[in-house]
Amino acid sequence: MDQDNLTSPVTEFLLLGLSQSRQIQLFLFSLFLAVYATTWLGNLIIINTVISDPRLHTPMYFLLANLSAIDVSFSTVTVPKLLDHLLLGGRAISFNGCMAQMFFFHFSGGAEVFFLIVMAFDRYVAIYKPLHYLTIMNFDVCIGLVAGAWLGGFAHSIVQVALLIRLPFCGPNMLDNFFCDVPQVLKLACTDTSVEEWLMLSDGGLEATVCFGVLLLSYTVILVMLRTRVSEGRQKAYNTCLAQITVVCLIFGPNIFVYARPFQSFAADKAVAVLYIVFIPMLNPMIYTLRNTEMKGAIKRVFSRVLVSWKGLNM
C-alpha cells in the first residue's frame, strides 16, 4: 500500500491549515469571516463611491477603484477555502483546483504589484506636470495602464504555474499551509526541483524586490519634489503619497519575506501569509479613506443620497 502511494500520481492535496484545535478553529473562523466581510464592504464602498460621485471621476480615483477590485479578487481566491476548512474541516483540494488556486492567487497578486507602479507613475505625473496631468493621464492611457498591470500579473502567474504543472507528483500530498502556494507544492514533486526553484525565485522574489526598490526610489523623488513646491494642494499630495507608501510597504514586506528567499519553511510563514492574504486587503481601503479628505467627503455624500432615497421610498 505504501509503495502504491509512492508511485501513484497525486490527485488531491490535503491542507493542514492553521490549527488542529476545534476551539481555535471556530475563533479563527469568526475573526476571518468578519475581516473578509469588512474587506468586501470597504472595497465595494470605494468602488461604488468612485462610480457614483462625479467629483471623483479623475485618473487617481479610477486607479484606486481598480486597486480595490484587485484586493477583493486577491482575498477571494483563498479566504473562502480557509473559512470552509475552519468551519467544516474541509482539508482536501483537487490537483487541478490547487493549480487553479495558485494561478489566480499569483495572477491577482502580480497584478497588484504592477498596479502599485502604475499608481506611483500617476502621482509623479500629477506633481511633476500638473498642467498636463489630465492630458497625459487620459482615459485611454488609464485603460492601457490597467490592462498592462493585469497582463503583467498574468505573465507572472503563467510562468509560476507552467513550471509546476509539468512536474511529477507521486508521493506525499500534505501541504503545511491553509492554501496552495508555490513553495510548499514545489517541495512535494518527485524529482529534483532546484532549477525550477531558482527560476521561480527570479520571476517572483527578484521581481518583487526590484519593484519595491523602484517604488521606494520613485516616492522619495516625489516627496523631494513636493518639498520644493509651495501650493495649497501640497498637503493633499503628501497625504496621498504617504497612503500609497504605506500600502506598498504592507504588500511588499510579506511578499519579499516569502518569495525572495530559498523555499524553506519558517515558523513565521503562516502568520505572514495570514497577514497579507486576510488582513491587508481589508486595511488598504481604510488607509486610503482615512488619509483622504476628498474620499471621506464623497462617501458621506453617497450615503446621504442613499439615506434620502430610502426615506423617500418609505414615506
Side-chain angles (χ1 to χ4, degrees):
M1 184 69 178
D2 291 339
Q3 184 64 30
D4 290 340
N5 288 338
L6 291 174
T7 57
S8 301
V10 169
T11 58
E12 68 177 18
F13 294 100
L14 298 178
L15 304 170
L16 294 182
L18 297 174
S19 173
Q20 303 306 311
S21 167
R22 191 56 185 158
Q23 289 77 14
I24 294 177
Q25 286 179 344
L26 291 176
F27 168 75
L28 291 176
F29 171 81
S30 301
L31 174 62
F32 293 162
L33 179 61
V35 172
Y36 185 54
T38 305
T39 299
W40 267 91
L41 179 62
N43 284 294
L44 286 179
I45 285 174
I46 287 182
I47 294 171
N48 182 65
T49 301
V50 172
I51 293 173
S52 304
D53 196 315
R55 302 183 196 182
L56 300 186
H57 291 176
T58 64
M60 183 182 80
Y61 291 107
F62 172 76
L63 296 177
L64 179 56
N66 278 274
L67 180 64
S68 291
I70 291 177
D71 278 331
V72 170
S73 303
F74 180 73
S75 181
T76 300
V77 171
T78 53
V79 175
K81 179 62 179 177
L82 171 59
L83 294 174
D84 172 66
H85 169 71
L86 292 172
L87 182 63
L88 303 176
R91 298 197 306 163
I93 182 170
S94 68
F95 180 86
N96 290 336
C98 184
M99 294 297 159
Q101 188 180 62
M102 282 189 291
F103 171 79
F104 287 108
F105 177 76
H106 285 276
F107 182 22
S108 54
E112 186 161 36
V113 166
F114 290 112
F115 214 85
L116 292 172
I117 296 176
V118 170
M119 295 183 75
F121 173 73
D122 170 73
R123 288 300 84 205
Y124 176 81
V125 174
I127 293 166
Y128 185 66
K129 291 186 176 293
L131 298 179
H132 301 92
Y133 172 62
L134 294 178
T135 302
I136 296 173
M137 296 296 294
N138 59 62
F139 181 74
D140 290 339
V141 170
C142 288
I143 292 295
L145 290 173
V146 170
W150 280 107
L151 286 174
F154 177 81
H156 160 72
S157 182
I158 204 71
V159 168
Q160 298 283 307
V161 175
L163 289 171
L164 266 177
I165 204 167
R166 65 187 185 85
L167 297 175
F169 293 90
C170 54
N173 66 340
M174 303 288 287
L175 291 172
D176 188 17
N177 209 339
F178 60 90
F179 71 107
C180 287
D181 200 11
V182 169
Q184 292 81 24
V185 175
L186 186 67
K187 292 299 182 183
L188 297 182
C190 306
T191 186
D192 177 48
T193 59
S194 54
V195 173
E196 287 79 7
E197 181 174 340
W198 283 108
L199 289 173
M200 290 175 178
L201 282 171
S202 300
D203 177 61
L206 181 61
E207 175 186 285
T209 304
V210 170
C211 289
F212 184 53
V214 169
L215 282 168
L216 287 184
L217 179 61
S218 301
Y219 280 112
T220 300
V221 172
I222 291 171
L223 292 175
V224 170
M225 289 167 55
L226 280 174
R227 290 184 60 185
T228 63
R229 298 184 177 220
V230 179
S231 67
E232 59 182 14
R234 186 170 65 173
Q235 188 59 47
K236 175 185 172 183
Y238 263 125
N239 289 338
T240 301
C241 288
L242 289 176
Q244 292 186 5
I245 292 170
T246 302
V247 170
V248 165
C249 293
L250 284 174
I251 290 174
F252 277 93
N255 193 300
I256 291 172
F257 175 81
V258 173
Y259 300 109
R261 58 175 169 84
F263 293 161
Q264 299 174 355
S265 297
F266 288 85
D269 283 351
K270 287 185 182 180
V272 173
V274 168
L275 173 65
Y276 72 83
I277 290 174
V278 180
F279 287 97
I280 289 178
M282 177 192 69
L283 294 175
N284 286 352
M286 294 183 181
I287 292 169
Y288 279 111
T289 54
L290 290 176
R291 297 197 64 92
N292 192 313
T293 304
E294 193 172 7
M295 175 61 75
K296 288 188 287 187
I299 291 173
K300 290 178 182 178
R301 289 193 296 273
V302 170
F303 273 100
S304 296
R305 289 198 297 268
V306 171
L307 185 60
V308 169
S309 300
W310 183 81
K311 287 182 176 179
L313 291 174
N314 288 274
M315 287 182 64

